[in-house]
PDB file of all heavy atoms in Angstrom:
ATOM      1  N   GLU P 354     173.232 128.052 139.922  1.00 96.00           N
ATOM      2  CA  GLU P 354     173.989 126.738 140.096  1.00 96.00           C
ATOM      3  C   GLU P 354     173.472 125.980 141.315  1.00 96.00           C
ATOM      4  O   GLU P 354     173.656 124.797 141.419  1.00 96.00           O
ATOM      5  CB  GLU P 354     175.410 126.947 140.250  1.00 96.00           C
ATOM      6  CG  GLU P 354     176.116 127.321 138.974  1.00 96.00           C
ATOM      7  CD  GLU P 354     177.587 127.700 139.110  1.00 96.00           C
ATOM      8  OE1 GLU P 354     178.143 127.830 140.216  1.00 96.00           O
ATOM      9  OE2 GLU P 354     178.244 127.768 137.987  1.00 96.00           O
ATOM     10  N   SER P 355     172.833 126.652 142.297  1.00 95.00           N
ATOM     11  CA  SER P 355     172.359 125.983 143.551  1.00 95.00           C
ATOM     12  C   SER P 355     170.815 125.542 143.417  1.00 95.00           C
ATOM     13  O   SER P 355     170.316 124.999 144.481  1.00 95.00           O
ATOM     14  CB  SER P 355     172.478 126.857 144.750  1.00 95.00           C
ATOM     15  OG  SER P 355     171.684 128.017 144.532  1.00 95.00           O
ATOM     16  N   ASP P 356     170.337 125.614 142.195  1.00 96.00           N
ATOM     17  CA  ASP P 356     168.932 125.347 142.014  1.00 96.00           C
ATOM     18  C   ASP P 356     168.580 123.689 142.356  1.00 96.00           C
ATOM     19  O   ASP P 356     169.474 122.899 141.964  1.00 96.00           O
ATOM     20  CB  ASP P 356     168.425 125.573 140.630  1.00 96.00           C
ATOM     21  CG  ASP P 356     167.985 126.969 140.441  1.00 96.00           C
ATOM     22  OD1 ASP P 356     168.178 127.852 141.308  1.00 96.00           O
ATOM     23  OD2 ASP P 356     167.365 127.214 139.303  1.00 96.00           O
ATOM     24  N   SER P 357     167.536 123.533 143.097  1.00 97.00           N
ATOM     25  CA  SER P 357     167.015 122.234 143.195  1.00 97.00           C
ATOM     26  C   SER P 357     166.347 121.704 141.970  1.00 97.00           C
ATOM     27  O   SER P 357     166.234 122.595 140.956  1.00 97.00           O
ATOM     28  CB  SER P 357     166.056 122.083 144.245  1.00 97.00           C
ATOM     29  OG  SER P 357     164.906 122.864 143.984  1.00 97.00           O
ATOM     30  N   LEU P 358     166.048 120.425 141.783  1.00 96.00           N
ATOM     31  CA  LEU P 358     165.297 120.001 140.687  1.00 96.00           C
ATOM     32  C   LEU P 358     164.017 120.697 140.559  1.00 96.00           C
ATOM     33  O   LEU P 358     163.631 121.085 139.356  1.00 96.00           O
ATOM     34  CB  LEU P 358     165.165 118.537 140.631  1.00 96.00           C
ATOM     35  CG  LEU P 358     166.427 117.575 140.472  1.00 96.00           C
ATOM     36  CD1 LEU P 358     165.958 116.131 140.722  1.00 96.00           C
ATOM     37  CD2 LEU P 358     166.950 117.805 139.077  1.00 96.00           C
ATOM     38  N   ALA P 359     163.291 120.989 141.483  1.00 96.00           N
ATOM     39  CA  ALA P 359     162.084 121.702 141.520  1.00 96.00           C
ATOM     40  C   ALA P 359     162.182 123.137 141.037  1.00 96.00           C
ATOM     41  O   ALA P 359     161.428 123.574 140.192  1.00 96.00           O
ATOM     42  CB  ALA P 359     161.376 121.633 142.990  1.00 96.00           C
ATOM     43  N   ASP P 360     163.270 123.750 141.452  1.00 97.00           N
ATOM     44  CA  ASP P 360     163.617 125.128 141.083  1.00 97.00           C
ATOM     45  C   ASP P 360     163.860 125.139 139.584  1.00 97.00           C
ATOM     46  O   ASP P 360     163.448 126.031 138.827  1.00 97.00           O
ATOM     47  CB  ASP P 360     164.762 125.636 141.939  1.00 97.00           C
ATOM     48  CG  ASP P 360     164.372 125.940 143.378  1.00 97.00           C
ATOM     49  OD1 ASP P 360     163.356 126.158 143.657  1.00 97.00           O
ATOM     50  OD2 ASP P 360     165.332 126.005 144.137  1.00 97.00           O
ATOM     51  N   ALA P 361     164.630 124.138 139.208  1.00 97.00           N
ATOM     52  CA  ALA P 361     165.152 124.137 137.743  1.00 97.00           C
ATOM     53  C   ALA P 361     163.888 124.016 136.871  1.00 97.00           C
ATOM     54  O   ALA P 361     163.999 124.639 135.765  1.00 97.00           O
ATOM     55  CB  ALA P 361     166.176 122.960 137.594  1.00 97.00           C
ATOM     56  N   ARG P 362     162.958 123.242 137.148  1.00 97.00           N
ATOM     57  CA  ARG P 362     161.810 123.011 136.250  1.00 97.00           C
ATOM     58  C   ARG P 362     160.980 124.267 136.137  1.00 97.00           C
ATOM     59  O   ARG P 362     160.444 124.682 135.062  1.00 97.00           O
ATOM     60  CB  ARG P 362     160.983 121.796 136.516  1.00 97.00           C
ATOM     61  CG  ARG P 362     160.290 121.790 137.788  1.00 97.00           C
ATOM     62  CD  ARG P 362     159.639 120.474 138.140  1.00 97.00           C
ATOM     63  NE  ARG P 362     158.655 120.118 137.193  1.00 97.00           N
ATOM     64  CZ  ARG P 362     157.196 120.468 137.404  1.00 97.00           C
ATOM     65  NH1 ARG P 362     156.912 121.082 138.588  1.00 97.00           N
ATOM     66  NH2 ARG P 362     156.319 120.014 136.552  1.00 97.00           N
ATOM     67  N   ILE P 363     160.800 125.008 137.274  1.00 98.00           N
ATOM     68  CA  ILE P 363     160.115 126.270 137.206  1.00 98.00           C
ATOM     69  C   ILE P 363     160.926 127.357 136.345  1.00 98.00           C
ATOM     70  O   ILE P 363     160.447 127.961 135.629  1.00 98.00           O
ATOM     71  CB  ILE P 363     159.973 126.760 138.670  1.00 98.00           C
ATOM     72  CG1 ILE P 363     158.882 125.843 139.302  1.00 98.00           C
ATOM     73  CG2 ILE P 363     159.520 128.242 138.696  1.00 98.00           C
ATOM     74  CD1 ILE P 363     158.674 126.163 140.795  1.00 98.00           C
ATOM     75  N   ARG P 364     162.298 127.336 136.628  1.00 98.00           N
ATOM     76  CA  ARG P 364     163.080 128.318 135.771  1.00 98.00           C
ATOM     77  C   ARG P 364     162.950 127.911 134.228  1.00 98.00           C
ATOM     78  O   ARG P 364     162.775 128.813 133.550  1.00 98.00           O
ATOM     79  CB  ARG P 364     164.558 128.140 136.247  1.00 98.00           C
ATOM     80  CG  ARG P 364     165.436 128.946 135.387  1.00 98.00           C
ATOM     81  CD  ARG P 364     166.815 129.091 136.158  1.00 98.00           C
ATOM     82  NE  ARG P 364     167.456 127.854 136.239  1.00 98.00           N
ATOM     83  CZ  ARG P 364     168.353 127.283 135.378  1.00 98.00           C
ATOM     84  NH1 ARG P 364     168.682 128.054 134.229  1.00 98.00           N
ATOM     85  NH2 ARG P 364     168.981 126.133 135.601  1.00 98.00           N
ATOM     86  N   GLU P 365     162.948 126.650 133.967  1.00 98.00           N
ATOM     87  CA  GLU P 365     162.829 126.190 132.537  1.00 98.00           C
ATOM     88  C   GLU P 365     161.467 126.672 131.993  1.00 98.00           C
ATOM     89  O   GLU P 365     161.464 127.285 130.870  1.00 98.00           O
ATOM     90  CB  GLU P 365     162.984 124.747 132.421  1.00 98.00           C
ATOM     91  CG  GLU P 365     163.193 124.270 131.027  1.00 98.00           C
ATOM     92  CD  GLU P 365     163.611 122.818 130.896  1.00 98.00           C
ATOM     93  OE1 GLU P 365     163.517 122.109 131.947  1.00 98.00           O
ATOM     94  OE2 GLU P 365     163.668 122.314 129.766  1.00 98.00           O
ATOM     95  N   ALA P 366     160.369 126.540 132.767  1.00 98.00           N
ATOM     96  CA  ALA P 366     159.218 126.871 132.165  1.00 98.00           C
ATOM     97  C   ALA P 366     159.011 128.392 132.087  1.00 98.00           C
ATOM     98  O   ALA P 366     158.530 128.931 131.067  1.00 98.00           O
ATOM     99  CB  ALA P 366     157.984 126.412 133.101  1.00 98.00           C
ATOM    100  N   SER P 367     159.608 129.053 133.032  1.00 98.00           N
ATOM    101  CA  SER P 367     159.681 130.587 133.037  1.00 98.00           C
ATOM    102  C   SER P 367     160.276 131.073 131.772  1.00 98.00           C
ATOM    103  O   SER P 367     159.877 131.989 131.021  1.00 98.00           O
ATOM    104  CB  SER P 367     160.305 131.065 134.212  1.00 98.00           C
ATOM    105  OG  SER P 367     160.383 132.523 134.190  1.00 98.00           O
ATOM    106  N   ALA P 368     161.508 130.489 131.420  1.00 98.00           N
ATOM    107  CA  ALA P 368     162.278 130.897 130.244  1.00 98.00           C
ATOM    108  C   ALA P 368     161.427 130.639 129.012  1.00 98.00           C
ATOM    109  O   ALA P 368     161.430 131.486 128.084  1.00 98.00           O
ATOM    110  CB  ALA P 368     163.550 130.132 130.165  1.00 98.00           C
ATOM    111  N   PHE P 369     160.722 129.576 128.961  1.00 98.00           N
ATOM    112  CA  PHE P 369     160.001 129.245 127.657  1.00 98.00           C
ATOM    113  C   PHE P 369     158.827 130.224 127.504  1.00 98.00           C
ATOM    114  O   PHE P 369     158.344 130.380 126.394  1.00 98.00           O
ATOM    115  CB  PHE P 369     159.517 127.761 127.689  1.00 98.00           C
ATOM    116  CG  PHE P 369     160.574 126.829 127.409  1.00 98.00           C
ATOM    117  CD1 PHE P 369     160.639 125.626 128.143  1.00 98.00           C
ATOM    118  CD2 PHE P 369     161.544 127.052 126.433  1.00 98.00           C
ATOM    119  CE1 PHE P 369     161.675 124.701 127.886  1.00 98.00           C
ATOM    120  CE2 PHE P 369     162.509 126.117 126.224  1.00 98.00           C
ATOM    121  CZ  PHE P 369     162.595 125.022 126.983  1.00 98.00           C
ATOM    122  N   PHE P 370     158.302 130.778 128.645  1.00 98.00           N
ATOM    123  CA  PHE P 370     157.131 131.710 128.544  1.00 98.00           C
ATOM    124  C   PHE P 370     157.655 133.115 128.359  1.00 98.00           C
ATOM    125  O   PHE P 370     156.792 134.047 128.224  1.00 98.00           O
ATOM    126  CB  PHE P 370     156.300 131.641 129.819  1.00 98.00           C
ATOM    127  CG  PHE P 370     155.364 130.456 129.890  1.00 98.00           C
ATOM    128  CD1 PHE P 370     155.405 129.698 131.105  1.00 98.00           C
ATOM    129  CD2 PHE P 370     154.508 130.149 128.959  1.00 98.00           C
ATOM    130  CE1 PHE P 370     154.419 128.544 131.191  1.00 98.00           C
ATOM    131  CE2 PHE P 370     153.586 129.161 129.059  1.00 98.00           C
ATOM    132  CZ  PHE P 370     153.561 128.361 130.251  1.00 98.00           C
ATOM    133  N   SER P 371     158.974 133.317 128.286  1.00 98.00           N
ATOM    134  CA  SER P 371     159.445 134.697 128.314  1.00 98.00           C
ATOM    135  C   SER P 371     159.304 135.533 127.234  1.00 98.00           C
ATOM    136  O   SER P 371     159.472 136.811 127.207  1.00 98.00           O
ATOM    137  CB  SER P 371     161.017 134.719 128.645  1.00 98.00           C
ATOM    138  OG  SER P 371     161.694 134.118 127.596  1.00 98.00           O
ATOM    139  N   ASP P 372     158.868 134.987 126.037  1.00 98.00           N
ATOM    140  CA  ASP P 372     158.681 135.839 124.811  1.00 98.00           C
ATOM    141  C   ASP P 372     157.206 135.696 124.258  1.00 98.00           C
ATOM    142  O   ASP P 372     157.114 135.955 123.067  1.00 98.00           O
ATOM    143  CB  ASP P 372     159.734 135.530 123.725  1.00 98.00           C
ATOM    144  CG  ASP P 372     159.961 136.623 122.751  1.00 98.00           C
ATOM    145  OD1 ASP P 372     159.881 137.855 123.238  1.00 98.00           O
ATOM    146  OD2 ASP P 372     160.334 136.374 121.690  1.00 98.00           O
TER     147      ASP P 372
END
Side-chain angles (χ1 to χ4, degrees):
E354 290 179 346
S355 62
D356 274 9
S357 66
L358 289 176
D360 290 335
R362 66 189 291 269
I363 288 175
R364 177 166 63 93
E365 191 172 2
S367 173
F369 287 139
F370 283 128
S371 65
D372 203 31

